[in-house]
Amino acid sequence: QNDIDHVSSFAPYCDAVTTDRGMIKLCEGEIAKSVLENYHCTLFSNDNLRQLNEWIDSLLPESGGAVQGIDQT
């Protein structure tokens, strides 16, 4: 329930939300997906850390490279 509260509270107001794989899978379901499509929020988990890193880099073009501290393995 905590993850559901987390996503439902923050997705309408955030550009990105990090959560676990199970919550990502739940949000990919037909009902949740149709609701989340109304927001411009991207969900990230351990499965797509590289994309999270690229997204952060796109926000900070002057950084010149990967943000330190995000493990991309």
Side-chain angles (χ1 to χ4, degrees):
Q1 183 64 40
N2 288 339
D3 284 342
I4 293 170
D5 293 340
H6 173 92
V7 172
S8 64
S9 295
F10 292 104
Y13 306 103
C14 296
D15 293 325
V17 172
T18 57
T19 190
D20 60 23
R21 292 177 185 121
M23 191 64 212
I24 296 282
K25 296 264 188 247
L26 182 65
C27 290
E28 290 172 346
E30 185 176 335
I31 295 171
K33 189 174 185 176
S34 68
V35 171
L36 290 171
E37 287 175 348
N38 295 314
Y39 308 114
H40 298 292
C41 182
T42 303
L43 300 178
F44 294 101
S45 73
N46 283 340
D47 291 336
N48 61 354
L49 286 178
R50 184 177 306 276
Q51 290 151 331
L52 173 59
N53 192 18
E54 292 169 358
W55 179 77
I56 292 170
D57 279 346
S58 74
L59 299 176
L60 305 168
E62 68 278 359
S63 69
V67 174
Q68 298 298 315
I70 298 178
D71 182 12
Q72 297 182 20
T73 57

